[in-house]
Amino acid sequence: MPFAQLVIGPPGAGKSTYCNGMHQFLGAIGRKCSIVNLDPANDKTSYPCALDVRDLVTLEEIMEDDKLGPNGGVLYALEELEKNFDWLEEGLKELGDDYILFDCPGQVELFTHHSSLRNIFFRIQKMGIRLIVIHLVDSYTLTLPSMYISALLLSLRAMLQLDLPHLNVLTKIDNLSNYAPLPFNLDYYTEVQDLSYLLPHLEAESSRLSHEKFGALNQTIIDLVEEFALVGFETLAVEDKKSMMSLLNAIDRVSGYAFGPAEGANDTVWKVAVREGMGITDVRDVQERWLDAKDEYDYLEEKELEEEVRLRNAASQVEKTGAPETDDAAASDDDGEFYDEEVEKWKANMPDHGIKVHRKS
């Protein structure tokens, strides 16, 4: 049974970048993957496109022929795709059992109240493809309480509208340290904890929001989100391997990929790892990696990369000549000692969490 991700989100959330990064990551772990572009305005994809809606209809043609603007043109294009679903169905059948990524348009109307995209998803589901919605939200929204609450409402509306297995993801988490410090830890936002604590910060954001007539409205919106208790967020730094691994782990568990019919003797190493809970990153680790100690982690990873390149070059030298150069061997010892010293310095600068690890000699 094929599985697929429906990648949605507002413009600028990083949908195409995510599809490109996830496609590369899936290829690296041995999972055959294809990308389907459902955005009629996306004429320059950064990924190999197995099926492109622009082969059926383009935004430029619609705007010229029907005198519509960009937003209206995209809505019209999705209505055309719904009417010509046979074209999409035939293309998907040719992909066989490939894992599929659907790169969807960024107009929020499509996944909040317009019915065409929802109908297309349900018809894809009837083909026997297991779907999961990946709703991407730029982590910049955390920097302003009003934007964060808007993102909560958008996420909630998308979950109710699409009515499919769903994960909300805060993208570009590696850029969050470039903005003003957050008033709360990251887990407050990802777990959508008591939103009443956010009200004073919301009122301080703008003099208009502090007016008494907005007080009841703000409280009602917060109560609405909390009463549904549906919204939560995963995090993603698309260029970070551990972050991608953690997110894919969550996706596979929610979509059921890790517990599919192939479970048993023929399972891949990845499926076994997911069932055992390996690769899961706690949000507190994300906080430490990308906010509290980002520079230290970046420095350590740079040294690890340099060491990996050095070892790879040394192995290549041995393969070519049959023996490593003596100068390289001496340099290797020096580099190793330097690397160990840098690791110890990095550990000394890390915050003390009260946990002491004693290793056996």
Side-chain angles (χ1 to χ4, degrees):
M1 177 182 294
F3 288 78
Q5 297 180 27
L6 308 169
V7 185
I8 66 172
K15 296 182 293 298
S16 294
T17 302
Y18 169 84
C19 288
N20 187 28
M22 182 59 72
H23 179 266
Q24 295 181 32
F25 186 79
L26 291 173
I29 65 173
R31 189 183 305 182
K32 191 176 180 182
C33 173
S34 296
I35 303 179
V36 176
N37 176 37
L38 293 184
D39 187 355
N42 189 2
D43 58 344
K44 295 180 181 178
T45 58
S46 57
Y47 47 75
C49 196
L51 191 60
D52 194 342
V53 70
R54 290 178 61 84
D55 294 335
L56 175 68
V57 60
T58 67
L59 180 63
E60 295 81 7
E61 292 175 352
I62 293 174
M63 292 176 63
E64 182 177 351
D65 296 342
D66 298 283
K67 309 303 178 185
L68 294 173
N71 286 344
V74 171
L75 298 180
Y76 186 89
L78 267 293
E79 292 172 356
E80 283 294 308
L81 179 59
E82 182 184 1
K83 292 178 182 178
N84 296 276
F85 183 79
D86 292 344
W87 174 86
L88 180 61
E89 184 176 12
E90 292 176 4
L92 293 177
K93 287 180 179 178
E94 293 178 1
L95 300 181
D97 290 332
D98 286 9
Y99 192 95
I100 306 173
L101 303 175
F102 288 92
D103 188 4
C104 300
Q107 277 70 14
V108 296
E109 304 97 308
L110 290 169
F111 49 88
T112 57
H113 60 272
H114 196 269
S115 61
S116 288
L117 194 62
R118 181 176 186 266
N119 294 339
I120 291 170
F121 289 167
F122 283 170
R123 295 183 70 174
I124 293 174
Q125 192 176 43
K126 288 182 179 179
M127 294 175 59
I129 301 176
R130 297 282 296 273
L131 303 179
I132 178 172
V133 177
I134 308 299
H135 180 211
L136 305 184
V137 178
D138 193 331
S139 61
Y140 178 74
T141 58
L142 305 186
T143 61
L144 290 174
S146 59
M147 292 178 62
Y148 175 62
I149 293 176
S150 298
L152 292 177
L153 288 175
L154 178 62
S155 301
L156 177 60
R157 186 68 190 98
M159 296 176 78
L160 297 176
Q161 167 75 3
L162 298 178
D163 196 22
L164 289 167
H166 195 111
L167 274 181
N168 300 302
V169 181
L170 292 170
T171 61
K172 309 176 188 178
I173 202 70
D174 48 328
N175 291 335
L176 202 53
S177 62
N178 298 329
Y179 310 127
L182 301 177
F184 305 104
N185 285 337
L186 191 59
D187 60 347
Y188 174 85
Y189 299 94
T190 58
E191 298 171 6
V192 192
Q193 298 174 8
D194 191 348
L195 295 176
S196 62
Y197 288 103
L198 203 61
L199 285 175
H201 299 278
L202 180 63
E203 294 173 355
E205 180 184 326
S206 171
S207 58
R208 291 183 299 174
L209 294 176
S210 62
H211 195 280
E212 60 180 9
K213 68 178 181 180
F214 285 104
L217 176 61
N218 295 337
Q219 186 63 53
T220 301
I221 292 175
I222 285 175
D223 291 342
L224 174 68
V225 174
E226 292 183 335
E227 285 175 7
F228 274 97
L230 291 176
V231 183
F233 293 95
E234 300 291 330
T235 60
L236 175 65
V238 74
E239 295 182 353
D240 183 70
K241 179 174 61 176
K242 293 180 181 178
S243 182
M244 288 289 285
M245 184 183 300
S246 179
L247 178 60
L248 184 59
N249 189 310
I251 292 172
D252 285 350
R253 295 176 74 88
V254 172
S255 66
Y257 182 89
F259 313 100
E263 185 174 353
N266 296 323
D267 279 358
T268 63
V269 174
W270 176 260
K271 285 186 177 180
V272 175
V274 170
R275 282 200 301 274
E276 295 298 324
M278 299 178 183
I280 298 176
T281 303
D282 189 89
V283 67
R284 289 167 293 185
D285 296 327
V286 178
Q287 166 97 25
E288 184 177 55
R289 170 63 183 90
W290 299 113
L291 293 175
D292 296 341
K294 183 178 185 296
D295 292 339
E296 290 85 349
Y297 273 98
D298 287 345
Y299 181 76
L300 181 62
E301 288 186 359
E302 182 181 353
K303 289 298 178 183
E304 289 177 345
L305 181 60
E306 291 176 358
E307 180 71 5
E308 183 180 339
V309 171
R310 186 193 62 77
L311 292 174
R312 190 178 301 158
N313 292 338
S316 177
Q317 181 69 24
V318 171
E319 188 175 327
K320 289 180 180 179
T321 64
E325 296 181 2
T326 55
D327 292 343
D328 288 346
S332 173
D333 293 337
D334 294 340
D335 289 345
E337 293 176 2
F338 173 77
Y339 180 74
D340 291 339
E341 291 176 1
E342 293 301 322
V343 170
E344 292 303 322
K345 290 180 182 178
W346 175 78
K347 289 181 178 179
N349 292 328
M350 292 297 293
D352 184 6
H353 297 292
I355 300 174
K356 303 297 182 183
V357 178
H358 299 278
R359 301 187 183 279
K360 294 182 179 180
S361 58

